[in-house]
Amino acid sequence: MPHVRRAEYPRVNSSYILEYVELIHRHHKRTPYAANTFPVETYPWYCDNEALFYYGAPLPTHGANRSANTYWSVYTSSSNPLAPRGFTSTCQFPQITRGGLDDSWQHGNDLYGVYHNLLGFLPEKYDPNMVNFRVTNNVITSQVASMVTSGMFGGEAQHKLPLLIQPASIDSLEPAYTCLAAYKNFSAYGAGSNDSSWTSHLKAASGLYTMLDTISGIPPTDPGFHASFDHYFDNLSARLCHPKPLPCNASNRSLCVTQAMADAVFRLGQYEYSYLYRDAGPRTLEYSAGSYGIWVAELAQNIRDAMQTTNSAGTGASTSSGIRYRHNIAHDGSVSRILSVLQIEKMVWPGMGSEVVFELYKGKVDQQYYIRVLWGGQVLRSSNPTLGVLDMLRVDILLAYFDGLVGQRAKKMPGLCSL
């Protein structure tokens, strides 16, 4: 997906100084989730051209026992009579594929090409006092991070580099914290609900569902595949991203998903995300603010801390971290929620690597702070009249907007999430 790259990057004029950057992006391409595969897949999917390393090591390493660089090697046993669902495979479902790893490296390299080579903002070498990376509790984000950091800082990143992660039960980035009121709101209008505004497109697509179910062997009563087009979208798009042929029926190989059928699934998926995160009206903002408000509050505080660091740089009075670049690797649901909170003018299903960047600038003349938000490498346009085109907006306007939704340091969240 489009992201910040030197060739297309819209530069700000020289009367402003870049002070802080925080970005969030979806992981890169992967195998489908196991739940999204068909009961019987008609061809294998191998991942022998990569390794997923899982190991622990003592810190500090000096004088300690050394750990081996161990990685998982997926296999099936001839003594195990059970067959895994879906593909015959040496992959995990999900895992970032070799192509996704290469895309991740290129993404990091492109970012370094702008924020170091073009703007001189990032340090030449990785510096934990200036830069940090954060992932979710889903391991695929860590798989992406290992390549993004290498693409940015090369050999420096191939040494030990910490990835920030919150406890699984309260992770704000994924998000994984509990917000009952938000999910009750979603259940009234979204996937799985009986709201006619939601179910009408599913009914209209009943003929498509029948054809897909017949080919895939998915029961028509399977709720995962029929509450929305999410599962079929993931299954079919993962194949075409790599590229692999569209699937055929296990018993009748002449009965196959056509490109026209796949395109219809993709259009319906785009419709669904637009509806769920924007088109269903005020409920979408309420849902996204509740289910992603803690991360929004963290972002707002990071921006405040960056301003404090800049203002106190010459006094030695700063108490904030000094971090000037934060990089969050997350999921489609994460990026969708922040786009919803920003009330993006045209909502889409965020593709692999989709990226939102927040850039904080300080005016050289007026010494005031301004924010610019990039989506797909270009300035984001909001349908909210207070935000509008998010290009050098006074930062206090965006912070007041965030505070109005979730409160400083998320102080409104307990109330927003209670029933």
Side-chain angles (χ1 to χ4, degrees), residues 48-364:
D48 298 329
N49 57 354
E50 62 178 305
L52 304 180
F53 289 84
Y54 295 95
Y55 60 93
L59 289 176
T61 57
H62 180 70
N65 294 325
R66 298 284 302 273
S67 65
N69 295 338
T70 56
Y71 62 89
W72 288 2
S73 180
V74 178
Y75 82 107
T76 55
S77 166
S78 60
S79 299
N80 187 339
L82 304 178
R85 176 190 172 103
F87 293 93
T88 298
S89 181
T90 56
C91 308
Q92 291 288 314
F93 293 88
Q95 77 173 62
I96 303 300
T97 57
R98 172 61 184 270
L101 295 177
D102 290 339
D103 289 347
S104 300
W105 188 94
Q106 188 62 56
H107 194 162
N109 194 249
D110 288 340
L111 289 168
Y112 188 82
V114 170
Y115 291 114
H116 174 74
N117 295 339
L118 181 65
L119 302 179
F121 176 75
L122 283 175
E124 180 180 2
K125 298 181 178 181
Y126 169 71
D127 183 346
N129 296 312
M130 299 177 68
V131 175
N132 69 33
F133 296 87
R134 181 178 170 188
V135 295
T136 73
N137 282 268
N138 188 322
V139 295
I140 62 176
T141 59
S142 295
Q143 294 163 15
V144 168
S146 66
M147 297 299 289
V148 166
T149 54
S150 179
M152 293 182 74
F153 296 107
E156 291 293 320
Q158 292 168 22
H159 299 292
K160 297 171 181 65
L161 189 153
L163 300 176
L164 299 180
I165 187 169
Q166 291 186 351
S169 62
I170 59 168
D171 183 7
S172 63
L173 179 60
E174 191 163 344
Y177 64 87
T178 300
C179 187
L180 295 178
Y183 291 106
K184 182 180 180 181
N185 174 22
F186 183 85
S187 67
Y189 79 87
S193 75
N194 293 320
D195 189 319
S196 60
S197 297
W198 172 256
T199 58
S200 59
H201 80 284
L202 300 177
K203 292 176 181 177
S206 60
L208 176 62
Y209 261 132
T210 298
M211 290 187 289
L212 292 170
D213 293 346
T214 300
I215 295 167
S216 66
I218 297 294
T221 55
D222 185 301
F225 275 84
H226 297 93
S228 73
F229 275 91
D230 174 271
H231 285 22
Y232 274 121
F233 190 112
D234 185 35
N235 184 294
L236 301 178
S237 63
R239 299 173 196 265
L240 295 180
C241 278
H242 282 95
K244 295 186 180 296
L246 289 169
C248 297
N249 182 271
S251 301
N252 181 0
R253 300 300 177 90
S254 65
L255 189 61
C256 302
V257 173
T258 65
Q259 186 63 55
M261 293 164 65
D263 289 342
V265 169
F266 301 151
R267 285 194 299 272
L268 286 161
Q270 295 290 351
Y271 165 82
E272 289 182 347
Y273 262 63
S274 187
Y275 176 82
L276 293 173
Y277 292 99
R278 291 294 287 121
D279 300 339
R283 296 177 294 184
T284 63
L285 181 58
E286 293 168 8
Y287 167 65
S288 296
S291 61
Y292 217 61
I294 296 178
W295 190 86
V296 170
E298 291 169 342
L299 169 66
Q301 189 59 45
N302 290 340
I303 293 171
R304 288 188 168 98
D305 288 346
M307 292 190 292
Q308 180 184 355
T309 298
T310 303
N311 288 336
S312 57
T315 68
S318 175
T319 59
S320 53
S321 68
I323 296 292
R324 63 187 336 217
Y325 177 89
R326 286 183 170 88
H327 191 126
N328 301 273
I329 302 171
H331 306 275
D332 51 357
S334 319
V335 176
S336 294
R337 287 171 170 87
I338 192 63
L339 293 175
S340 177
V341 166
L342 293 171
Q343 298 183 60
I344 189 170
E345 195 170 73
K346 183 179 180 181
M347 182 69 198
V348 297
W349 190 331
M352 303 296 179
S354 294
E355 168 196 271
V356 181
V357 183
F358 297 84
E359 296 179 334
L360 176 69
Y361 290 87
K362 189 174 186 178
K364 292 180 180 178

